[in-house]
Structure formats: C-alpha cells, structure tokens
C-alpha cells in the first residue's frame, strides 16, 4: 500500500512536470504563431480592404540629385556597377526574339548552369525543336570572398569563353544584393536586348518546361498582350519582423503592414513594354529593399502594373512527379540534381499523348485532383491546376 502510494506520487509529479513542459512549449510557439497570425490578418485586411499603395511612389522616389549620382543621364543611364563580362552580340542576330531568359546564378553554381545548358536552356535545341528564338544569359556578381575571387573569376571567364552566355557586374554576389542583380537584369535587357518580346527572370535551381513555355508565350503573342506580368502571385504578404528570419525587413526600411502584390522570384515573365518601364522606374526608386521580388512589386506598383497568376508557375515548391503534371507544367522550383532526369521524363512523347483522348484527359484530371487538391506538405500548383485546360 505504502509503496503504491509512493509510486502514485511519483507519477503525479511526472504528470505535473510534463504538463508544465507542454504548456511552456505551447506558449513559446504561441508567441510565434500569434505574431504570424496577427501580421497576416493585418496584412490581408490592408490588402483587401484598403488596397492603396500610393505611399510607395512618394516614400521611395529618389531626389534628382541622388538619381543623377547613381545612374547618370536618365535617357542613357550608366549601369549601377561596371560590367566585368558582357554579351554585346547575343541579341543582334535577330529581330524576332520570343524570350530573353535571365537566370540569376552565382559564381560557384557552375554545375547548375551546365545542367541548364544541357537540358531546358539549350538555345540551339529550342531553335531546332521548337522553332523559337530564345536567348538565355546567366546573371552574376563577383564571389563575396575576396581570397577566392581571382580564382573564381578565372573559372567564370573560361566558362564564358566556351558558352558566351554569362553577364557579370562588379558587385558582391550575396543574398542582400539581389535587388542590385534585378536592376542589372533590366538594364541589360534595355541596353542589349530591347527587342525581346518577353523577358523572364528565374533562379538557377528552377526547371522550365520549355516546350510548354514556348506554346504559352505564343498564345500570348497571338493576343498581343501588353502591360503583362505573370507568375506565382503573392498577395497581401506582410513584412517579416523577426530578426532571425532570412527575409527580415526592419520597420525603418518598410514601415507599412503589407507588401504590394508581387510574383515569386523563382520565375516570372513580363512583356517587353513592362520590362522597359521597370528598367526606367528602377532608377527612380530607392532600391534599399533588398528582397528582389518585393522590390519588383514596388516598381510595378509605381508604374501601375499588377501581376497575374498562372497556376502552372510554381512559387517555392517542387513539382509532383507525374506525366499528367508534366503535360501542363511551366516552371517548378528547387531542382539541382534531378534536372536531366526530369527533362527526359517531362518531355517524353508519352506526355503529349496524354492530352489526346477523352479517356486520357479524364484520367489526368483524376490524377491531378489527387495530387493538387488533397492536402500535401508542399503543393506546387493550386487545386485549380486540375481543372485548367492548357
Ligand atoms: C553589395 O555589393 C557591394 C559592391 O560590391 C558591396 O559593397 C556590398 O557590401 C554588398 N552588400 C551586401 C549586403 O552584400
Ligand atoms: C533609401 O532608403 C533607406 C532606408 O529607408 C535610407 O536609409 C536611405 O538614405 C535612402 N537612400 C536614398 C538615396 O534616399
Ligand atoms: C503612383 O502609383 C500609382 C499606383 O498606385 C500609379 O498609377 C501612378 O502612376 C504612380 N505615380 C507616379 C508619379 O509614379
């Protein structure tokens, strides 16, 4: 009896301790959760009830002096940083360029560039197999580590001698310099490839289903779209105020509760007229906002362009591997080692077969409903994707 009672006490103590532990964990998470929920509620309310971002133009417009100091003459602006490697002839062979694709890469990511050149980003194959003129350049800064820089530069120059597809400016290639890289991309378009009908900016770990992309762009071209910006749209995202977060933004830098709409930087497309206007406005706005996708949203807001969603552009997420998905996919994000395998699978003739008959279409709709509409840890494309005909 006595022993039993002692055991009972021990159990009780253990129970109290566990409860305490669980409670404190919940409280800790609660603070996190609370912060998350509150900032999102505020941000969505702002986006959907007020939806005015006029403050951006007035708060971020540079004074004429600052602008002059950074870019020189407005009509023939100098680049923000000098080019170390440039491609002056890339776009001069044709007036009929469907797409200029600017891949944001980094000095050490040569393997990713190689994968892209050998698969979806091979200009010669695109011309031969899809009869489309697509230009691809890799956009780089310099290695941030000064001790490795000269070796890194030698390798990049060697790589570029073979492929002639690298552009590089003299700024440190770091996460917090991505907006500098964005400005560089639109400068290069405006200066060296202004006739491209569409301009795409993409990460170097993206997969582009080039046959689908070309088909999609051709359908847009037929409609002569202008004022056009498409991708995976973020609406009413709040600035993240937690200092340990990669995307932390201080109140001084961005005091408002909500960002303007923008597309995920993983991969988005703009029409030529938008690219030209973004280039101009990027010289007028204060570019201290270092999250490049958000800065793009601010630029677009200032010129009155809003992004639109297309379900087969992915945001952060990686594709669901299935031929029925490949039949529609435009981009998928987060590919480094599987690019070759995926390219083979996604462009296999059997994928095209899938859209040929009523039964196969029915089958694919069912598969896509299972893959896209049921809750999964990561969804590339929304449930809409199951019902969107491409
Ligand atoms: C961005 O690049 C410039 C020029 O190289 C450099 O001075 C600066 O420190 C870089 N900024 C960050 C945040 O890496
Ligand atoms: C740009 O904005 C930042 C942060 O608000 C500010 O510190 C900086 O002085 C501004 N730069 C110019 C040139 O106005
Ligand atoms: C300010 O922003 C609005 C969109 O909110 C835009 O339509 C307008 O053209 C901008 N004004 C200037 C002077 O850039």
């Amino acid at each position: 009896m006595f022993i039993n009672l002692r055991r009972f006490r021990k159990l009780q103590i253990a129970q109290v301790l566990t409860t305490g532990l669980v409670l404190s964990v919940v409280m800790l998470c609660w603070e996190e959760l609370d912060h998350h929920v509150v900032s999102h509620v505020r941000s969505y309310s702002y986006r959907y009830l007020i939806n005015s971002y006029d403050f951006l133009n007035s708060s971020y417009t540079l004074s004429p002096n600052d602008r002059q100091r950074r870019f020189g003459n407005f009509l023939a602006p100098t680049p923000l940083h000098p080019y170390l490697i440039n491609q002056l002839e890339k776009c001069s062979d044709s007036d009929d360029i469907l797409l200029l694709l600017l891949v944001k890469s980094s000095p050490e990511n040569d393997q990713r560039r190689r994968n892209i050149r050998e698969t979806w980003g091979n200009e010669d194959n695109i011309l031969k197999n899809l009869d489309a003129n697509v230009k691809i350049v890799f956009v780089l800064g310099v290695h941030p580590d000064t001790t490795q820089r000269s070796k890194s530069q030698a390798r990049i120059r060697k790589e570029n001698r073979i492929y002639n597809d690298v552009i590089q400016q003299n700024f440190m290639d770091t996460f917090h310099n991505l907006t500098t890289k964005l400005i560089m991309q639109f400068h290069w378009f405006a200066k060296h490839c202004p006739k491209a009908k569409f301009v795409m900016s993409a990460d170097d770990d993206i997969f582009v289903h080039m046959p689908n992309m070309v088909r999609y762009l051709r359908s847009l071209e037929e409609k002569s779209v202008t004022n056009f910006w498409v991708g995976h749209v973020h609406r009413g995202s709040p600035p993240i105020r937690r200092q340990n977060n990669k995307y932390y933004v201080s109140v001084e830098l961005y005091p408002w509760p909500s960002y303007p709409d923008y597309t995920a930087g993983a991969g988005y497309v703009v029409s030529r007229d938008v690219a030209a206007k973004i280039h101009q406005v990027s010289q007028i706005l204060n570019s201290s906002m270092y999250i490049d996708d958000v800065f793009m949203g601010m630029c677009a807001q200032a010129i009155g362009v809003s992004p639109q969603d297309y379900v087969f552009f992915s945001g952060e997420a990686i594709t669901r591997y299935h031929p029925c998905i490949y039949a529609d996919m435009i981009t998928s994000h987060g590919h480094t080692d599987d690019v070759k395998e995926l390219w083979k699978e996604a462009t296999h003739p059997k994928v095209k077969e899938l859209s040929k008959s009523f039964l196969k279409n029915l089958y694919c709709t069912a598969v896509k409903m299972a893959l896209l509409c049921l809750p999964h840890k990561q969804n590339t494309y929304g449930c809409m994707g199951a019902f969107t005909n491409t």
Side-chain angles (χ1 to χ4, degrees):
M1 178 65 196
F2 179 69
I3 291 171
N4 264 351
L5 200 66
R6 245 181 47 189
R7 189 180 284 163
F8 180 69
R9 284 239 176 85
K10 254 191 194 162
L11 256 172
Q12 231 177 6
I13 290 170
Q15 211 170 27
V16 168
L17 282 180
T18 330
T19 315
L21 191 72
V22 167
L23 269 180
S24 41
V25 168
V26 167
M27 299 264 280
L28 271 178
C29 294
W30 182 254
E31 204 196 325
E32 186 88 25
L33 187 76
D34 198 36
H35 175 80
H36 195 70
V37 169
V38 168
S39 66
H40 274 84
V41 167
R42 268 186 31 213
S43 171
Y44 288 144
S45 317
Y46 189 85
R47 165 64 179 81
Y48 287 101
L49 298 180
I50 302 173
N51 196 23
S52 161
Y53 292 84
D54 285 346
F55 54 80
L56 288 177
N57 323 21
S58 48
S59 308
Y60 287 91
T61 305
L62 293 175
S63 71
N65 275 344
D66 282 332
R67 231 208 58 233
Q68 178 77 27
R69 214 172 32 242
R70 275 168 76 86
F71 293 99
N73 181 344
F74 184 69
L75 290 174
T78 50
L80 207 47
H81 299 275
Y83 283 96
L84 298 176
I85 301 176
N86 204 346
Q87 305 301 328
L88 302 174
E89 304 297 319
K90 185 93 183 170
C91 292
S92 59
D93 67 344
S94 168
D95 280 345
D96 185 32
I97 295 168
L98 182 65
L99 176 68
L100 166 63
L101 209 162
L102 299 149
V103 183
K104 298 175 269 183
S105 192
S106 297
E108 66 278 16
N109 288 353
D110 46 339
Q111 182 61 46
R112 293 186 185 183
R113 293 192 285 279
R114 206 168 310 137
N115 286 343
I116 292 174
R117 289 185 192 109
E118 285 173 17
T119 57
W120 60 263
N122 189 296
E123 290 176 1
D124 294 339
N125 281 345
I126 298 171
L127 191 60
K128 200 173 83 198
N129 299 330
L130 305 170
D131 194 25
N133 202 346
V134 174
K135 302 293 180 188
I136 296 170
V137 288
F138 295 97
V139 187
L140 273 66
V142 296
H143 203 292
D145 183 346
T146 47
T147 60
Q148 293 190 42
R149 194 169 295 161
S150 65
K151 222 165 121 193
S152 155
Q153 280 308 102
R155 278 177 55 176
I156 296 169
R157 284 189 186 281
K158 190 168 156 208
E159 178 185 335
N160 183 57
R161 269 200 298 279
I162 302 172
Y163 300 107
N164 287 308
D165 59 2
V166 172
I167 59 174
Q168 184 187 41
Q169 277 185 0
N170 191 10
F171 62 87
M172 268 162 57
D173 199 309
T174 58
F175 175 72
H176 286 93
N177 264 340
L178 274 174
T179 292
T180 305
K181 198 176 270 186
L182 181 94
I183 296 172
M184 169 181 172
Q185 293 169 65
F186 285 101
H187 178 268
W188 196 83
F189 155 77
K191 186 109 202 244
H192 301 294
C193 203
K195 286 187 177 154
K197 291 181 181 126
F198 295 95
V199 177
M200 176 173 190
S201 173
D203 288 346
D204 63 0
D205 58 345
I206 202 168
F207 181 87
V208 180
H209 194 297
M210 199 48 88
N212 291 350
M213 175 65 100
V214 166
R215 184 158 51 106
Y216 175 60
L217 293 179
R218 288 233 164 93
S219 72
L220 297 171
E221 195 186 5
E222 240 160 65
K223 287 182 264 177
S224 313
V225 295
T226 52
N227 229 23
F228 185 76
W229 176 21
V230 70
H232 180 93
V233 180
H234 291 286
R235 287 183 215 285
S237 296
I240 293 174
R241 305 296 191 199
R242 300 204 149 257
Q243 294 208 17
N244 54 6
N245 192 291
K246 183 180 175 190
Y247 297 100
Y248 164 75
V249 163
S250 70
V251 176
E252 290 75 49
L253 191 55
Y254 194 91
W256 299 282
S258 167
Y259 289 139
D261 297 355
Y262 64 92
T263 55
Y268 55 85
V269 174
V270 295
S271 55
R272 166 170 47 196
D273 56 315
V274 170
K277 283 190 276 184
I278 294 285
H279 166 58
Q280 295 203 339
V281 77
S282 72
Q283 300 157 55
I284 298 174
L285 292 188
N286 181 331
S287 57
S288 55
M289 166 55 73
Y290 46 75
I291 305 177
D292 59 332
D293 352 357
V294 173
F295 182 71
M296 177 74 183
M298 291 161 64
C299 288
Q301 180 68 33
I303 56 171
V305 170
S306 36
Q308 48 182 291
D309 241 324
Y310 183 58
V311 65
F312 296 111
F313 279 81
S314 87
E316 290 304 304
I318 198 159
T319 189
R320 315 285 315 212
Y321 296 89
H322 195 284
C324 289
I325 298 285
Y326 304 150
D328 303 307
M329 81 187 292
I330 302 280
T331 69
S332 171
H333 184 240
H335 298 275
T336 48
D337 302 327
D338 64 345
V339 175
K340 285 181 191 166
E341 194 61 27
L342 180 58
W343 175 244
K344 220 165 34 192
E345 289 290 309
T347 56
H348 196 280
K350 73 175 185 239
V351 172
K352 240 183 177 169
E353 286 298 309
L354 283 171
S355 56
K356 290 238 168 97
S357 79
F358 175 73
L359 268 183
K360 284 177 180 163
N361 265 324
L362 207 62
Y363 159 73
C364 270
T365 303
V367 167
K368 285 193 285 184
M369 278 170 67
L371 291 178
L372 304 178
C373 299
L374 302 176
H376 290 281
K377 213 166 87 207
Q378 252 198 337
N379 269 352
T380 349
Y381 310 125
C383 182
M384 275 297 291
F387 309 100
T388 306
N389 279 321
T390 62

